[in-house]
Amino acid sequence: MSKVALITGITGQDGSYLAELLLSKGYEVHGIVRRVALEDENHRLWRIRNILKDVTLHAGSLESYARVFNVIMKIKPDEVYHLGAQSYVAYSFEDEFSTFNMNINGTHYILSALKEFANKKVKFYFAASSEMFGKVKETPQNEKTPFHPRSAYGISKVTGFHLVQNYREAYNLHASNGILFNHESPRRGFEFVTRKISYGAARIKKGLQSKIKLGNIQSMRDWGHAKDYVEMMWKMLQQEKADDFVVGTGIQHSVEEFAQKAFSHLGLNYKDHIEIDKNLIRPAEVDTLLADYSKAKKILNWKPKITFDELVINMVEEDLRLLS
């Protein structure tokens, strides 16, 4: 009998790759999406368009406990992957309230519903974030590094992280945190800096624009490919005992390096096309993030397969194809 998986955020970058992975493993895959998404297939469901016939979507909001509870009781999942969130860090400075409401309450509602769910063997994955480390206390960061979040988004993820730990310890729920460092792909939203660079570079190559506005290009990040990271999510829930894992590459690059690589792949000099806009710099900046994923490597036998160069080129080539 097929395992049943529920994915929140199934229409997003990670959700779409995870759904494909689970389908390839024979899972019955369900997703919770806002009703407006079901009415706008071309725009909101574009990442899962190729698998729509293979998944079951349930209209609902993570801000409604009743709806979350009803979906869980209806499908009786074996595994729940909670990826849905207001995940754009810059926007969390503009609207802290909706970020907290969506990210904290949504996580709490699912955990509470699972606590009441009759199938106590259900396994839960929470998409935590390297943004929880914020103003880092040490480099690289591992599972024991103290948190110092620098945004409403980061704060909401720290709260979710501790909710997961609390439900695991208080109610013996198989609940795990994946502390994912930055991971990108051609399915990344256009508001994120990496996609802004890859898509902008492709448009410039096509003669459709001449400049890209960026903020702090000296920020250092540990970038991997989302396709690698969703495999790690699945591996975490195959463990007998729930635990928390840092997921990253252990290699760091600046935003400037990302831009240089993207433009040079197209035979362009990034310095001719980048414009620094101080309005794009966060009120509280996270300057450096670097993962120590040795625990995941040892316990889960996981390591990233796709390199930074391959990631950047993959994104640029797909954006060129999109424009064509």
Side-chain angles (χ1 to χ4, degrees):
M1 191 173 179
S2 298
K3 282 186 178 180
V4 177
L6 174 63
I7 303 173
T8 70
I10 193 172
T11 62
Q13 170 186 258
D14 293 9
S16 63
Y17 282 120
L18 178 61
E20 291 172 356
L21 176 69
L22 295 179
L23 286 171
S24 74
K25 294 181 179 296
Y27 279 67
E28 178 186 320
V29 178
H30 296 255
I32 295 180
V33 299
R34 291 184 179 275
R35 183 167 296 280
V36 66
L38 296 176
E39 298 167 354
D40 188 6
E41 180 177 323
N42 289 329
H43 177 60
R44 298 177 187 272
L45 302 182
W46 65 271
R47 296 180 181 90
I48 58 170
R49 196 180 300 140
N50 63 319
I51 57 169
L52 272 176
K53 67 182 186 302
D54 302 314
V55 301
T56 303
L57 301 181
H58 303 266
S61 169
L62 293 176
E63 295 162 87
S64 168
Y65 176 74
R67 186 55 182 153
V68 168
F69 182 84
N70 287 339
V71 170
I72 287 172
M73 292 304 291
K74 179 181 179 180
I75 69 174
K76 295 178 172 56
D78 297 291
E79 297 173 5
V80 175
Y81 296 85
H82 180 36
L83 315 182
Q86 192 301 97
S87 59
Y88 186 39
V89 178
Y91 179 71
S92 76
F93 283 103
E94 298 175 24
D95 190 352
E96 297 175 352
F97 297 95
S98 66
T99 299
F100 289 144
N101 192 37
M102 167 68 77
N103 295 4
I104 296 175
N105 288 344
T107 304
H108 189 197
Y109 291 163
I110 295 174
L111 286 166
S112 178
L114 292 178
K115 179 171 73 76
E116 302 301 324
F117 178 36
N119 178 11
K120 297 300 181 183
K121 293 182 180 179
V122 65
K123 296 180 178 180
F124 175 80
Y125 169 86
F126 175 63
S129 170
S130 60
E131 289 286 331
M132 300 190 304
F133 296 121
K135 191 172 183 178
V136 299
K137 306 294 184 184
E138 61 188 25
T139 297
Q141 297 85 49
N142 60 33
E143 293 81 4
K144 295 181 179 180
T145 302
F147 300 139
H148 187 151
R150 302 269 280 171
S151 66
Y153 172 76
I155 293 168
S156 74
K157 287 296 183 177
V158 170
T159 305
F161 177 90
H162 287 303
L163 277 168
V164 170
Q165 284 194 331
N166 182 251
Y167 269 75
R168 183 168 71 216
E169 294 167 4
Y171 306 113
N172 200 30
L173 190 67
H174 193 294
S176 299
N177 287 297
I179 307 174
L180 272 61
F181 280 63
N182 295 66
H183 49 290
E184 318 297 323
S185 77
R187 300 181 189 178
R188 182 49 111 178
F190 290 94
E191 68 273 25
F192 290 85
V193 67
T194 50
R195 190 70 191 281
K196 189 175 182 179
I197 291 170
S198 67
Y199 188 64
R203 282 179 56 84
I204 289 169
K205 182 66 175 180
K206 294 280 188 179
L208 300 173
Q209 69 185 69
S210 60
K211 297 282 186 180
I212 301 176
K213 290 185 177 181
L214 298 176
N216 179 14
I217 63 173
Q218 300 309 317
S219 289
M220 302 291 290
R221 293 291 185 270
D222 181 332
W223 274 301
H225 199 295
K227 189 177 288 188
D228 281 342
Y229 288 28
V230 299
E231 181 189 16
M232 173 67 163
M233 298 176 190
W234 176 77
K235 278 179 172 285
M236 287 174 63
L237 294 202
Q238 308 319 301
Q239 303 304 298
E240 187 175 332
K241 183 180 177 182
D243 205 348
D244 308 321
F245 293 91
V246 160
V247 186
T249 70
I251 303 172
Q252 198 177 49
H253 300 274
S254 67
V255 174
E256 186 173 17
E257 286 180 80
F258 196 105
Q260 187 274 330
K261 180 65 63 177
F263 278 91
S264 66
H265 179 66
L266 298 174
L268 300 170
N269 186 342
Y270 77 100
K271 293 181 179 179
D272 296 332
H273 303 286
I274 297 298
E275 188 177 307
I276 303 301
D277 184 347
K278 292 182 179 179
N279 293 320
L280 296 177
I281 297 176
R282 301 177 190 174
E285 190 66 62
V286 175
D287 296 314
T288 181
L289 292 171
L290 179 62
D292 171 6
Y293 70 97
S294 54
K295 180 179 175 182
K297 187 176 182 180
K298 179 181 178 181
I299 297 177
L300 301 178
N301 193 30
W302 177 89
K303 62 180 180 180
K305 303 181 185 75
I306 301 170
T307 68
F308 174 75
D309 286 6
E310 290 169 338
L311 165 67
V312 178
I313 291 170
N314 177 220
M315 291 179 69
V316 172
E317 285 296 326
E318 285 298 309
D319 279 332
L320 278 176
R321 189 181 63 80
L322 179 65
L323 289 169
S324 298

